[in-house]
Structure formats: C-alpha cells, structure tokens
C-alpha cells in the first residue's frame, strides 16, 4: 500500500501562516514590504550564467498547463539547456512532482522537453516526489551524496525565495535567472514577497519555540 503524502500545508504550515499574517498586521505591512524589496533586488541583479562551471544544473519545476510545460517552465528549461550545452560535463536535474493525482510530474515533462531539444537523456536526472520549492530542495539535498558545484535555475522573481531556502538547507547553489531581464509583474512580486515573509516568520517562530521537527523541514 502506498503511503499517503503529508498535507500540502500541514499543521505547522497553518500556524506559521497565521503568525506571518499577524506580523504583517502588527508591522503595518513593513515586514512583508521589506521582503518584497529583497525579492525585487535579487530579481534585478540575478546573472544569466553561474559564477563557475557547475557539476549539476538544477531546474526548479513549475505548474503544468494541460500536461505541458508552462511558458515560465519553458524559460527555465531553455536556460538550463543553454548551460548544459556550454558545459557538456554537467548533469541536469529537473525538480518537481505531480500537482494532482494521476498527473505526470513536472520533472518528467521537463525531462521530455529537454530530450526533444536534443539533450542526451543520460545527462538528465529527476526528482519527482516534491510538491513545492521547499520540498524540491530538501528532497534533492537528501538524495545527493556527492559534492560539486551546482547552478540553480529558476525565474527571476522566484530566485530570492529559492536561494534563501537552499542556503538554510545547507546547499550553496550558484543562482541563474531564467529570463534575460526582469519584466513588470506587480501581483507576482507581491506574492513572492509575502511567501518570503511567511518563510522567514515560520523559521523565526520555529527557533523561538525550539521546534526541531519544523526546523528539520524548513532548514
């Protein structure tokens, strides 16, 4: 019998969400506002190439559209493909599970896209069990034993949160932006800012309450 996956949000996620909303209210929006500024700063300054040659190129998945990669996912995959061609020894790892029961995983669809573009299937690995960014990175960390420089490819507005989570999990990836430049998208910017604020609030609360199980999950 297959194990039922844990709830997407979970008890601790609900508690930290309430805490994040309270902090936002008590600070009159200043706390999430600062997170928005940090997201924008990272998005504007993110490079299109890693600082050095990567051993692995990590590609964060994105919600599929009718079983096909979204435009945002294609941008990430295209950037990873360019890096893979620039560094032929690097492996590509696509991260992303299924967002609905019975659906293909983001990693499977991403791998198929890369293969269709001519990338050697032997160079492509997959992480298919995760449902969101934190699980993407945690599952990758737990499954990767060998050291080596890693490039992390994702959308510009997603990079700040992804790097924050990766570094708190003990990873040290080199950031790479999927898009050539930052395009105006205020709703997405505000949403990413709140997600960063929620993550930081949850981590601070876990440390304050000494909840080791929470910290083990979020870094």
């Amino acid at each position: 019998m297959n194990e039922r996956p844990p709830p997407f949000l979970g008890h601790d996620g609900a508690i930290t969400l309430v805490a994040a909303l309270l902090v936002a209210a008590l600070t009159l929006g200043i706390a999430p506002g600062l997170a928005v500024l940090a997201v924008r700063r990272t998005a504007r300054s993110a490079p299109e190439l890693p600082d050095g040659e990567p051993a692995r190129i990590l590609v964060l998945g994105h919600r599929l559209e009718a079983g096909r990669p979204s435009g945002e996912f294609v941008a990430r995959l295209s950037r990873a493909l360019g890096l893979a061609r620039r560094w032929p020894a690097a492996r590509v790892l696509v991260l992303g599970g299924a967002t609905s029961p019975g659906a293909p995983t983001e990693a499977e669809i991403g791998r198929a896209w890369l293969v269709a573009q001519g990338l050697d299937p032997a160079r492509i690995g997959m992480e298919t069990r995760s449902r969101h960014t934190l699980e993407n990175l945690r599952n990758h960390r737990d499954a990767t034993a060998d050291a080596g420089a890693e490039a992390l490819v994702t959308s510009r507005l997603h990079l700040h949160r992804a790097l924050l989570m990766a570094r708190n999990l003990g990873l040290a990836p080199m950031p790479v932006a999927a898009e050539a430049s930052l395009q105006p998208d205020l709703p997405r910017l505000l949403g990413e800012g709140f997600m960063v604020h929620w993550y930081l609030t949850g981590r601070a609360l876990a440390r304050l309450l000494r909840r080791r199980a929470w910290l083990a999950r979020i870094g």
Side-chain angles (χ1 to χ4, degrees):
M1 181 179 295
N2 293 331
E3 290 186 11
R4 177 179 293 181
F8 186 84
L9 184 60
H11 180 68
D12 50 347
I15 291 173
T16 57
L17 176 57
V18 171
L21 291 169
L22 285 173
V23 171
L26 290 172
T27 62
L28 302 178
I30 292 175
L34 291 174
V36 167
L37 293 176
V39 168
R40 183 173 180 270
R41 183 169 57 249
T42 299
R44 292 187 66 179
S45 63
E48 297 176 56
L49 290 173
D51 291 337
E53 180 176 353
R56 281 181 298 277
I57 301 162
L58 311 181
V59 190
L60 291 176
H62 189 266
R63 184 177 292 275
L64 304 176
E65 297 178 350
R68 300 174 63 85
S70 65
E72 191 165 335
F73 196 10
V74 168
R76 299 177 188 185
L77 293 166
S78 297
R79 178 68 69 194
L81 179 64
L83 298 183
R85 288 171 173 167
R86 186 183 183 94
W87 287 290
R91 284 184 54 79
V92 178
L93 181 61
V94 188
L95 311 176
T99 53
S100 59
T105 66
E106 296 167 1
E108 290 169 334
I109 297 300
R111 182 181 187 276
W113 188 94
L114 290 168
V115 171
Q117 305 307 310
L119 191 62
D120 182 359
R123 294 181 62 189
I124 310 170
M126 296 187 296
E127 186 287 305
T128 60
R129 296 182 297 115
S130 55
R131 297 164 296 172
H132 49 71
T133 302
L134 184 56
E135 286 186 356
N136 288 156
L137 296 167
R138 190 176 66 235
N139 290 344
H140 163 62
R141 180 200 62 182
D142 293 346
T144 304
D146 58 320
E150 295 181 329
L152 178 63
V153 180
T154 191
S155 309
R156 285 184 177 272
L157 287 174
H158 187 227
L159 257 175
H160 188 81
R161 177 160 56 103
L163 286 172
L164 189 63
M165 291 176 170
R167 288 163 180 167
N168 284 334
L169 287 167
L171 302 171
M174 298 175 286
V176 178
E179 310 93 340
S181 61
L182 177 62
Q183 301 301 314
D185 189 344
L186 183 58
R188 176 71 184 277
L189 173 60
L190 295 176
E192 278 294 332
F194 183 79
M195 293 295 287
V196 168
H197 165 68
W198 179 8
Y199 174 75
L200 292 174
T201 301
R203 193 164 185 266
L205 185 62
R207 287 177 172 272
L208 179 66
L209 299 178
R210 299 182 180 179
R211 300 301 295 266
R212 294 182 180 179
W214 294 10
L215 286 170
R217 284 191 289 273
I218 67 178

